[in-house]
Amino acid sequence: MPTVLVTGGAGFIGSNFVRHLLATDPTVAVVNFDALTYAGNLANLADLAGHPRYTFIKGDVTDRDHVRAALQRGVTDIIHFAAESHVDRSIQDSGPFVRTNVIGTQILLDAAREFKVNKYVQVSTDEVYGSLGATGFFTEETPLHPNSPYSASKAGADLLVQAYQHTFGLPAVITRCSNNYGPYQFPEKLIPLFVTNLLNDIPVPVYGDGQQVRDWIHVLDHCRGVEAAWRNGRPGEVYNFGGRCEMPNLELTKLLIRLLGKPESLIRYVEDRLGHDRRYAIDCAKAERELGWAPQVSFDAGLAETIAWYQTNAAWVATIKNKDYMSYYEKQYGSKL
Ligand code: NAD
Ligand code: TYD
């Protein structure tokens, strides 16, 4: 039985991935290795309690001994989601980003070599490519040009993965995806932050002129892409995933306001993010061609379902919006709202 070590499986994308994999493949076992930082939450996988093919280990990817012990449980493959993932937090303090995203990846790569895993998947981001002007797309050939401490740490990790593949023949693939949305996303990122604020008539902070463009993809489409890269990706290759759904932030903000039946007076234009990337857009033709993958969830349907999820899961949101979250929120937005 393939036994996949999924790191960061208690976070947003990781938890959706673990649930997806266990539900769609009865022959696979999952070991979820997660440090349960502010972003990790076992409630995201409460429905898997007692599942016979699921094991949870509370562990930090920067802890070499603990990672090695986890791999000794018959792990055959590694899919590495664990990361510090929020750009604004990386601007406040880049230390945890370098530790987890760079050192943590190096430790996992060493373990992957030692235990001779069949496949190692590095879950990366389109942000490593930097920022686009009004036209063009990121392809897998686009040079890395990360602009934020977050994307720099993810690019550093990607380079290590490529070096281990080249030097040691580690069977590794890298995936780079655009902005995800969907259930269980921590409400510091744009869509869940704005939805949960608007549901409570709290103003929403639009950075700068709001004309920055992001490409939105439903988290399950990303999960299907990571799964395809794990099963069929060629070692040494990079695969981009995107939703073919570009939208300026202000247009998205107004759409959310309309869908929730709230007034536009809840918009607050606040100081721009430092070094804010202007536009991301992904060319995912390679994944379509080589992996037979394509995004399936339309933005209209996915967004409606996501809003409904946050409406019916107010108790989940309430546990997230704890003291730690509020102190981050206060530091980030303070009196601006
Ligand atoms: P998240 O912040 O929701 O979850 C991260 C998870 O990693 C949490 O469960 C956390 O506890 C865990 N973690 C953090 N540090 C750890 C450590 N040192 N050891 C073990 N576990 C640790 O992040 P997400 O949005 O689910 O992103 C998952 C991955 O996908 C990241 O690698 C991210 O860079 C990448 N990605 C995210 C997006 C997006 O839109 N969210 C897009 C492309 C790529
Ligand atoms: P975010 O969800 O943080 O993802 P990323 O920075 O990784 O793309 O932000 C998405 C976009 O929304 C980005 O252009 C920054 C912007 N944004 C705001 O305007 N206000 C906010 O409060 C947040 C969190 C993001």
Side-chain angles (χ1 to χ4, degrees):
M1 175 177 283
T3 300
V4 185
L5 184 85
V6 175
T7 69
F12 163 47
I13 306 172
S15 62
N16 278 284
F17 181 79
V18 169
R19 183 177 295 102
H20 162 77
L21 196 61
L22 287 172
T24 54
D25 184 345
T27 71
V28 79
V30 170
V31 178
N32 175 9
F33 188 88
D34 194 299
L36 299 181
T37 67
Y38 79 90
N41 186 352
L42 285 182
N44 296 358
L45 289 168
D47 51 320
L48 293 184
H51 192 293
R53 290 179 286 117
Y54 172 71
T55 311
F56 175 72
I57 300 174
K58 182 174 186 305
D60 191 316
V61 290
T62 64
D63 180 342
R64 188 178 295 274
D65 291 340
H66 206 169
V67 166
R68 291 183 70 255
L71 278 155
Q72 272 153 6
R73 294 170 171 249
V75 167
T76 56
D77 298 81
I78 297 178
I79 304 185
H80 181 31
F81 288 93
E84 288 292 336
S85 68
H86 189 39
V87 173
D88 292 321
R89 288 186 191 251
S90 80
I91 293 169
Q92 285 185 7
D93 179 6
S94 62
F97 288 74
V98 174
R99 275 192 294 282
T100 287
N101 300 1
V102 183
I103 313 271
T105 297
Q106 180 239 327
I107 285 170
L108 269 180
L109 288 167
D110 280 341
R113 272 187 72 205
E114 180 184 347
F115 288 86
K116 299 187 172 44
V117 298
N118 294 331
K119 188 72 86 59
Y120 175 99
V121 181
Q122 177 74 7
V123 180
S124 187
T125 164
D126 62 351
E127 302 192 25
V128 298
Y129 296 123
S131 183
L132 291 164
T135 58
F137 296 89
F138 298 132
T139 74
E140 290 80 0
E141 307 304 320
T142 303
L144 302 191
H145 194 297
N147 289 318
S148 71
Y150 162 66
S151 55
S153 68
K154 293 293 290 185
D158 285 11
L159 291 175
L160 278 172
V161 173
Q162 286 175 331
Y164 273 61
Q165 200 280 326
H166 178 82
T167 308
F168 304 114
L170 185 78
V173 300
I174 296 174
T175 64
R176 297 190 179 131
C177 190
S178 63
N179 287 60
N180 286 220
Y181 70 96
Y184 300 102
Q185 187 168 27
F186 195 88
E188 63 189 355
K189 308 276 167 57
L190 188 143
I191 289 182
L193 174 68
F194 283 21
V195 168
T196 55
N197 273 16
L198 289 169
L199 283 171
N200 293 294
D201 298 307
I202 298 169
V204 290
V206 171
Y207 296 163
D209 62 4
Q211 293 310 315
Q212 308 82 6
V213 173
R214 295 294 182 265
D215 165 46
W216 295 97
I217 181 172
H218 192 272
V219 64
L220 278 182
D221 279 331
H222 183 194
C223 291
R224 283 187 276 265
V226 170
E227 182 192 0
W230 168 53
R231 293 189 192 283
N232 301 317
R234 286 181 293 131
E237 294 296 315
V238 174
Y239 298 94
N240 286 349
F241 300 114
R244 294 194 195 286
C245 176
E246 282 186 58
M247 199 176 280
N249 292 338
L250 187 57
E251 188 182 325
L252 173 56
T253 305
K254 289 184 175 171
L255 174 63
L256 292 172
I257 283 176
R258 211 166 49 246
L259 290 171
L260 285 157
K262 302 292 178 178
E264 288 193 5
S265 57
L266 284 171
I267 295 177
R268 296 286 183 278
Y269 293 92
V270 302
E271 207 177 297
D272 208 351
R273 172 186 280 173
L274 293 177
H276 200 167
D277 284 340
R278 198 66 179 165
R279 175 169 167 263
Y280 302 145
I282 279 270
D283 178 343
C284 49
K286 178 178 173 184
E288 292 179 330
R289 202 173 52 243
E290 292 193 14
L291 301 176
W293 170 92
Q296 293 173 22
V297 183
S298 77
F299 194 53
D300 283 352
L303 200 57
E305 173 226 272
T306 302
I307 289 173
W309 189 89
Y310 281 94
Q311 278 170 320
T312 48
N313 288 277
W316 180 91
V317 175
T319 61
I320 302 284
K321 291 200 168 181
N322 54 23
K323 227 168 79 209
D324 275 1
Y325 174 87
M326 292 320 295
S327 88
Y328 160 76
Y329 189 83
E330 183 56 32
K331 199 163 165 195
Q332 184 65 18
Y333 302 110
S335 54
K336 291 174 205 145
L337 291 183

